[in-house]
Amino acid sequence: VTNYHVVRDAERLEVTFFDGLTARAEFVGGDPDSDLAIIRVTGPGTMLHPVSLGDSDQVFIGQRAVAIGNPFGQTWTLTAGVVSAIGRTMRSGTSQFSIPEMIQTDAAINPGNSGGPLLDAKGRVVGVNTMIASQSHSSAGVGFAVPVNIVKQIVPDLIESGSYVYPWLGISGTNLSLDLIEAMGLDVRRRGALVMEVVEESPAAEAHLQ
């Protein structure tokens, strides 16, 4: 499992293991909307040692977070920090859609960390390091990982068919801001979303959303 943006334009894929062994790999499938992809390593199965997957629904703010990757080409780099926020929605860099429930961490994530694991204190994968929000495009910012439960949801379909089909509503909207609440004369405690547009012949249109 890696990020889609890491392998999408690759003409040749190689995977290097911790003992220095390098093996060929092939692209199996990818999902631009979640920025996840699957590659298959060709070689003896005895050299493959799967990691343990955690439960990203159990991740909490303040827990230990460890990122592994190759930042700036420096292989096998480990950085540590904490989970600084959960439930973030970030725009995918490979799609017009956003990735929900992303894990935010202050563990240093830099170019080259993409596709690597975000681990908890017990070494279980809780996310796939994907992006950093930084004006300097370096670790002077916060990193984001796709939660492992999204990986569990999407990866089986990528392996089976090479793609993942999402359910969709067919609307565009925005969160209710204070300005909108005041303009519409709503109770200040009102929460929700304002539907701005409904796509023709979409599920939302069939349900008569306006």
Side-chain angles (χ1 to χ4, degrees):
V1 178
T2 186
N3 282 138
Y4 178 76
H5 75 261
V6 171
V7 298
R8 62 176 172 176
D9 296 323
E11 296 180 359
R12 184 176 62 183
L13 296 174
E14 295 180 351
V15 175
T16 301
F17 294 89
F18 189 71
D19 61 3
L21 177 66
T22 299
R24 299 287 187 192
E26 61 178 334
F27 180 81
V28 174
D31 176 43
D33 297 336
S34 64
D35 200 1
L36 293 174
I38 298 295
I39 60 175
R40 179 185 291 114
V41 176
T42 56
T46 54
M47 69 183 182
L48 303 178
H49 303 281
V51 291
S52 298
L53 302 183
D55 181 358
S56 52
D57 288 344
Q58 301 302 314
V59 169
F60 58 90
I61 297 172
Q63 81 170 68
R64 193 70 163 168
V66 177
I68 297 177
N70 304 324
F72 306 115
Q74 303 304 307
T75 58
W76 302 108
T77 295
L78 183 148
T79 56
V82 299
V83 172
S84 52
I86 55 176
R88 297 297 198 199
T89 298
M90 301 294 293
R91 182 74 174 267
S92 169
T94 55
S95 165
Q96 62 178 323
F97 298 106
S98 297
I99 305 172
E101 303 299 325
M102 294 195 79
I103 300 169
Q104 178 182 309
T105 179
D106 68 350
I109 293 178
N110 288 292
N113 275 110
S114 294
L118 184 70
L119 309 169
D120 64 14
K122 294 184 178 180
R124 298 170 300 196
V125 178
V126 294
V128 178
N129 303 320
T130 299
M131 64 181 71
I132 185 170
S134 170
Q135 294 182 345
S136 62
H137 303 289
S138 67
S139 60
V142 288
F144 297 91
V146 176
V148 74
N149 286 3
I150 289 183
V151 176
K152 294 175 183 178
Q153 174 184 345
I154 291 174
V155 161
D157 281 17
L158 294 184
I159 293 174
E160 181 177 350
S161 65
S163 62
Y164 184 83
V165 178
Y166 287 87
W168 70 299
L169 290 176
I171 66 168
S172 61
T174 184
N175 291 333
L176 277 181
S177 66
L178 183 59
D179 288 340
L180 287 173
I181 289 173
E182 291 175 346
M184 299 173 70
L186 302 176
D187 188 306
V188 70
R189 294 169 294 182
R190 176 72 67 185
R191 298 291 182 269
L194 179 65
V195 177
M196 307 292 291
E197 181 182 1
V198 177
V199 178
E200 293 183 5
E201 300 182 358
S202 68
E206 294 180 7
H208 307 294
L209 288 181
Q210 298 180 348

Short mmCIF file of all heavy atoms in Angstrom, two decimals, residues 16-18 68-78 112:
data_model
loop_
_atom_site.label_atom_id
_atom_site.label_comp_id
_atom_site.label_asym_id
_atom_site.label_seq_id
_atom_site.Cartn_x
_atom_site.Cartn_y
_atom_site.Cartn_z
N THR A 16 12.73 -1.41 -2.02
CA THR A 16 13.95 -1.77 -1.31
C THR A 16 13.60 -2.13 0.13
O THR A 16 12.93 -1.37 0.82
CB THR A 16 14.95 -0.60 -1.32
OG1 THR A 16 15.26 -0.26 -2.67
CG2 THR A 16 16.24 -1.00 -0.59
N PHE A 17 14.08 -3.29 0.55
CA PHE A 17 13.81 -3.77 1.90
C PHE A 17 14.92 -3.32 2.85
O PHE A 17 15.98 -2.85 2.43
CB PHE A 17 13.68 -5.29 1.89
CG PHE A 17 12.48 -5.77 1.13
CD1 PHE A 17 12.57 -6.04 -0.23
CD2 PHE A 17 11.26 -5.94 1.76
CE1 PHE A 17 11.46 -6.47 -0.94
CE2 PHE A 17 10.15 -6.37 1.06
CZ PHE A 17 10.25 -6.64 -0.28
N PHE A 18 14.67 -3.50 4.14
CA PHE A 18 15.58 -3.01 5.15
C PHE A 18 16.96 -3.65 5.07
O PHE A 18 17.97 -3.03 5.43
CB PHE A 18 14.98 -3.24 6.55
CG PHE A 18 15.75 -2.58 7.65
CD1 PHE A 18 15.74 -1.20 7.79
CD2 PHE A 18 16.49 -3.32 8.56
CE1 PHE A 18 16.45 -0.57 8.80
CE2 PHE A 18 17.20 -2.71 9.58
CZ PHE A 18 17.18 -1.33 9.71
N ILE A 68 7.45 6.69 9.40
CA ILE A 68 8.62 6.10 8.75
C ILE A 68 8.56 6.44 7.27
O ILE A 68 7.51 6.37 6.64
CB ILE A 68 8.67 4.57 8.94
CG1 ILE A 68 8.82 4.22 10.42
CG2 ILE A 68 9.82 3.96 8.14
CD1 ILE A 68 8.81 2.74 10.70
N GLY A 69 9.71 6.82 6.71
CA GLY A 69 9.75 7.15 5.29
C GLY A 69 11.14 7.50 4.83
O GLY A 69 12.13 7.22 5.51
N ASN A 70 11.20 8.14 3.65
CA ASN A 70 12.48 8.52 3.04
C ASN A 70 12.50 10.03 2.78
O ASN A 70 12.60 10.46 1.62
CB ASN A 70 12.70 7.77 1.73
CG ASN A 70 12.63 6.27 1.90
OD1 ASN A 70 13.06 5.73 2.91
ND2 ASN A 70 12.10 5.59 0.90
N PRO A 71 12.38 10.87 3.80
CA PRO A 71 12.31 12.30 3.56
C PRO A 71 13.58 12.83 2.89
O PRO A 71 14.69 12.54 3.33
CB PRO A 71 12.15 12.88 4.98
CG PRO A 71 12.71 11.84 5.88
CD PRO A 71 12.39 10.53 5.23
N PHE A 72 13.38 13.57 1.80
CA PHE A 72 14.49 14.15 1.04
C PHE A 72 15.49 13.09 0.61
O PHE A 72 16.69 13.35 0.49
CB PHE A 72 15.18 15.24 1.85
CG PHE A 72 14.25 16.32 2.34
CD1 PHE A 72 14.03 16.50 3.70
CD2 PHE A 72 13.59 17.14 1.45
CE1 PHE A 72 13.17 17.48 4.16
CE2 PHE A 72 12.72 18.13 1.90
CZ PHE A 72 12.51 18.31 3.24
N GLY A 73 15.00 11.84 0.40
CA GLY A 73 15.86 10.77 -0.06
C GLY A 73 16.65 10.09 1.03
O GLY A 73 17.46 9.20 0.74
N GLN A 74 16.43 10.47 2.28
CA GLN A 74 17.16 9.87 3.40
C GLN A 74 16.39 8.61 3.85
O GLN A 74 15.41 8.71 4.60
CB GLN A 74 17.31 10.85 4.55
CG GLN A 74 18.02 12.14 4.17
CD GLN A 74 19.38 11.89 3.55
OE1 GLN A 74 20.22 11.20 4.13
NE2 GLN A 74 19.62 12.45 2.37
N THR A 75 16.84 7.45 3.37
CA THR A 75 16.08 6.22 3.56
C THR A 75 16.00 5.81 5.02
O THR A 75 16.88 6.10 5.82
CB THR A 75 16.70 5.07 2.75
OG1 THR A 75 18.06 4.90 3.16
CG2 THR A 75 16.67 5.40 1.26
N TRP A 76 14.91 5.11 5.33
CA TRP A 76 14.67 4.52 6.64
C TRP A 76 14.78 5.56 7.76
O TRP A 76 15.48 5.37 8.75
CB TRP A 76 15.62 3.34 6.89
CG TRP A 76 15.47 2.28 5.86
CD1 TRP A 76 16.36 1.98 4.87
CD2 TRP A 76 14.35 1.42 5.67
NE1 TRP A 76 15.87 0.97 4.08
CE2 TRP A 76 14.64 0.60 4.55
CE3 TRP A 76 13.14 1.25 6.33
CZ2 TRP A 76 13.74 -0.35 4.08
CZ3 TRP A 76 12.26 0.29 5.86
CH2 TRP A 76 12.57 -0.50 4.76
N THR A 77 14.08 6.66 7.57
CA THR A 77 14.05 7.72 8.57
C THR A 77 12.80 7.58 9.43
O THR A 77 11.70 7.37 8.93
CB THR A 77 14.06 9.10 7.91
OG1 THR A 77 15.30 9.28 7.21
CG2 THR A 77 13.92 10.21 8.94
N LEU A 78 12.98 7.68 10.74
CA LEU A 78 11.88 7.60 11.69
C LEU A 78 11.76 8.93 12.42
O LEU A 78 12.75 9.47 12.91
CB LEU A 78 12.12 6.47 12.68
CG LEU A 78 11.03 6.18 13.72
CD1 LEU A 78 10.99 4.71 14.06
CD2 LEU A 78 11.29 7.00 15.01
N GLY A 112 8.94 12.69 0.50
CA GLY A 112 9.63 11.42 0.63
C GLY A 112 9.01 10.54 1.70
O GLY A 112 9.24 9.33 1.74
#
